[in-house]
């Protein structure tokens, strides 16, 4: 890929600041932060590194163009004006895979997709001097966002959403996505030398993402990406170098105290299998245990969890007792902090304490709350005369 391009990384609404920090830590310049996405500058190497290393992005898009359109004619002309020949080879397979529209005059996804595809073909006919395109080569799916009549067009470099790390073969009935779990962990002050317990671990996503953070394991190490086939834009060596970098910075010999409990023994087996598939099973202790047995002898630990919210009416009846029990067990954990994401609006009432912080986060279309109960900071460890801790 020649020169620098703008790259768009979509994320969960409410977690843009976490993703922004991740991108800056990778060494890239942010150009814009909007609801649900962060835009930054990068080249072919940045496409590879962003896909491999970003924990909280849903995908990485190569921004092809931005224009205003209030009519389908303006949409057609704006799309045709994009230099598609700079991105798509003659045999490339291209289509508009997703169109979303908010507060815009154009709102029919199927019409937007059809008109944009037609405009792309028209542009490429002129550029390549061809009437028909075989579309037998690499895939270049296009995603388009319309917001207040501004059209932003991106080409998807990731393929499967980045939350698909490749380790979760088995999921519990109300799984939290890997990207959301990672973002919520990064919102807390938890570090790898502190205890972390998830008493409602389900398929193990919070403990597994925490263990990957502790081991500095890149979330995209064990999967492939669509743009690996884009030989016209990104040299293969960029992908090899990104994967080599991921292997070099990883430390899976790190010591960590990360635990996951669930009342369902079969779910615990699934969580254990997912941990092994992620390469961090040795860093996590999974156990069948009800929330009533939540306890730990050590101080200054963290609970990070996604308790049931009662999606079905029969489950909802059990929630007051469940959250009350959680509150009792949490109060018995001297000096611990607790972070929980839930859509249950009476959570604080039954836990028996108002959260120190409360953040509204959209999990897909569902409004959830990230309740943060802050414990005291541990005392600073004193240094020995040799400077060691």
């Amino acid at each position: 890929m020649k020169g620098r391009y703008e790259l768009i990384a979509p994320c969960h609404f409410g977690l843009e600041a976490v993703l922004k920090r991740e991108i800056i830590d990778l060494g890239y310049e942010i150009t814009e932060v909007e609801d649900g996405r962060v835009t930054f500058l990068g080249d072919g190497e940045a496409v590879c590194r962003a896909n491999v290393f970003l924990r909280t992005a849903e995908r990485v898009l190569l921004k092809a163009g931005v224009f205003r359109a209030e009519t389908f004619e303006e949409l057609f002309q704006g799309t045709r004006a994009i230099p598609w020949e700079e991105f798509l080879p003659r045999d490339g397979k291209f289509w508009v895979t997703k169109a979303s529209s908010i507060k815009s005059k154009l709102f029919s996804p199927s019409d937007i997709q059809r008109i944009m595809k037609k405009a792309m073909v028209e542009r490429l006919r002129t550029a390549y001097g061809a009437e028909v395109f075989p579309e037998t080569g690499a895939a270049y799916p296009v995603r388009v966002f319309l917001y207040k009549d501004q059209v932003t067009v991106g080409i998807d470099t990731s393929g499967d959403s980045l939350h698909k790390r490749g380790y979760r073969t088995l999921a519990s009935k109300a799984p939290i996505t890997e990207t959301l779990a990672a973002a919520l962990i990064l919102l807390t002050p938890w570090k790898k030398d502190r205890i972390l317990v998830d008493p409602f671990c389900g398929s193990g996503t919070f403990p597994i993402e925490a263990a990957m953070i502790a081991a500095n394991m890149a979330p995209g190490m064990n999967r492939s990406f669509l743009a690996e086939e884009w030989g016209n834009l990104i040299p293969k060596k960029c992908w090899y170098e990104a994967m080599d970098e991921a292997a070099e910075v990883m430390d899976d010999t790190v010591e960590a105290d990360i635990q996951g409990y669930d009342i369902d023994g079969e779910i615990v087996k699934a969580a254990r299998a997912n941990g092994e598939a992620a390469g961090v099973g040795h860093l996590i202790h999974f156990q069948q245990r009800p929330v009533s047995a939540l306890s730990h002898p050590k101080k200054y630990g963290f609970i990070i969890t996604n308790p049931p919210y009662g999606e079905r009416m029969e489950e909802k009846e059990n929630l007051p007792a469940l959250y009350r029990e959680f509150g009792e067990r949490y109060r018995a954990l001297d000096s611990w902090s607790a972070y929980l994401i839930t859509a249950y609006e009476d959570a604080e009432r039954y836990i028996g304490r108002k959260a120190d912080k409360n953040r509204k986060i959209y999990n897909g279309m569902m409004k959830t709350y990230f309740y943060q109960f802050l414990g005291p900071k541990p005392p600073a460890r004193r240094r020995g005369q040799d400077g060691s801790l």
Side-chain angles (χ1 to χ4, degrees):
M1 188 187 286
K2 303 176 186 75
R4 289 205 302 177
Y5 289 78
E6 280 195 289
L7 303 172
I8 304 167
C11 65
H12 282 274
F13 283 92
L15 295 170
E16 298 84 3
V18 184
L19 175 55
K20 178 184 173 184
R21 191 170 70 228
E22 274 203 284
I23 293 167
I24 290 168
D25 287 347
L26 275 182
Y28 301 114
E29 182 188 336
I30 306 287
T31 56
E32 195 170 13
V33 179
E34 302 163 275
D35 285 349
R37 64 184 195 258
V38 180
T39 304
F40 61 104
L41 294 175
D43 54 8
E45 181 188 78
V47 170
C48 306
R49 293 182 73 235
N51 273 297
V52 171
F53 286 100
L54 290 178
R55 298 184 190 280
T56 64
E58 292 303 306
R59 57 185 69 250
V60 179
L61 307 174
L62 171 58
K63 188 170 173 181
V66 180
F67 56 90
R68 286 191 66 76
E70 296 182 18
T71 65
F72 285 122
E73 178 61 23
E74 287 174 345
L75 179 69
F76 181 88
Q77 296 301 341
T79 304
R80 190 169 67 172
I82 292 171
W84 291 106
E85 65 278 6
E86 292 180 12
F87 304 111
L88 310 179
R90 191 171 182 148
D91 67 345
K93 183 183 179 187
F94 59 96
W95 72 103
V96 181
T97 184
K98 182 152 190 217
S100 62
S101 176
I102 300 170
K103 298 178 182 174
S104 297
K105 292 179 182 65
L106 303 178
F107 55 83
S108 165
S110 57
D111 288 332
I112 292 166
Q113 289 167 298
R114 179 176 51 78
I115 285 161
M116 289 185 70
K117 169 79 179 196
K118 191 176 170 188
M120 292 166 74
V121 169
E122 192 99 340
R123 170 79 190 207
L124 291 173
R125 272 183 184 152
T126 305
Y128 285 122
E131 279 300 306
V132 181
F133 296 94
E135 298 201 42
T136 52
Y140 297 77
V142 171
R143 288 177 171 254
V144 57
F145 317 96
L146 281 78
Y147 180 67
K148 291 184 178 176
D149 301 319
Q150 178 169 285
V151 184
T152 303
V153 185
I155 310 171
D156 182 14
T157 73
S158 303
D160 283 340
S161 170
L162 294 181
H163 81 263
K164 295 186 176 177
R165 318 283 206 218
Y167 67 72
R168 190 158 71 180
T169 51
L170 299 156
S172 57
K173 62 186 172 187
I176 188 167
T177 67
E178 295 83 335
T179 45
L180 179 54
L184 295 177
I185 294 167
L186 293 173
L187 265 181
T188 78
W190 177 78
K191 295 286 181 282
K192 62 187 175 187
D193 60 347
R194 304 279 292 276
I195 304 149
L196 188 152
V197 174
D198 179 356
F200 303 99
C201 74
S203 52
T205 311
F206 270 127
I208 292 168
E209 290 295 319
M212 290 173 75
I213 290 167
N216 205 21
M217 181 182 286
M221 275 185 82
N222 297 313
R223 56 159 285 173
S224 58
F225 306 97
L226 207 54
E228 286 178 48
E229 303 304 316
W230 294 5
N232 62 316
L233 293 178
I234 305 170
K236 269 272 193 253
K237 79 178 184 75
C238 288
W239 292 102
Y240 295 138
E241 285 167 0
M243 289 296 186
D244 287 347
E245 182 187 354
E248 282 166 23
V249 299
M250 182 179 71
D251 177 16
D252 59 1
T253 65
V254 68
E255 288 186 17
D257 189 347
I258 299 169
Q259 302 179 27
Y261 310 143
D262 201 279
I263 197 168
D264 186 329
E266 288 305 305
I267 288 292
V268 170
K269 278 186 198 166
R272 212 171 271 136
N274 290 341
E276 292 299 328
V280 291
H282 62 293
L283 297 175
I284 309 166
H285 174 64
F286 285 112
Q287 188 182 357
Q288 183 179 0
R289 187 193 282 202
V291 71
S292 57
L294 173 61
S295 64
H296 202 288
K298 291 183 182 172
K299 296 175 79 163
Y300 306 110
F302 283 73
I303 295 167
I304 304 180
T305 193
N306 174 36
Y309 340 133
E311 293 298 275
R312 296 195 295 270
M313 277 311 294
E314 62 269 26
E315 290 175 343
K316 226 170 185 111
E317 293 166 11
N318 302 325
L319 293 185
L322 184 76
Y323 280 78
R324 196 179 287 120
E325 200 156 44
F326 173 81
E328 286 167 7
R329 298 316 307 151
Y330 172 52
R331 278 190 291 281
L333 286 165
D334 181 35
S335 72
W336 279 50
S337 297
Y339 298 81
L340 60 149
I341 182 170
T342 178
Y344 185 45
E345 296 193 354
D346 287 330
E348 290 171 303
R349 175 182 165 195
Y350 292 110
I351 287 169
R353 175 180 160 184
K354 189 161 176 56
D356 298 293
K357 291 182 182 177
N358 179 10
R359 196 176 185 122
K360 194 189 296 178
I361 289 162
Y362 282 87
N363 184 4
M365 296 307 292
M366 186 188 291
K367 183 170 69 175
T368 61
Y369 302 90
F370 189 46
Y371 293 107
Q372 303 167 57
F373 301 92
L374 310 179
K377 287 182 180 176
R381 286 182 288 176
R382 296 175 65 176
R383 291 184 178 273
Q385 288 184 329
D386 62 352
S388 63
L389 289 171

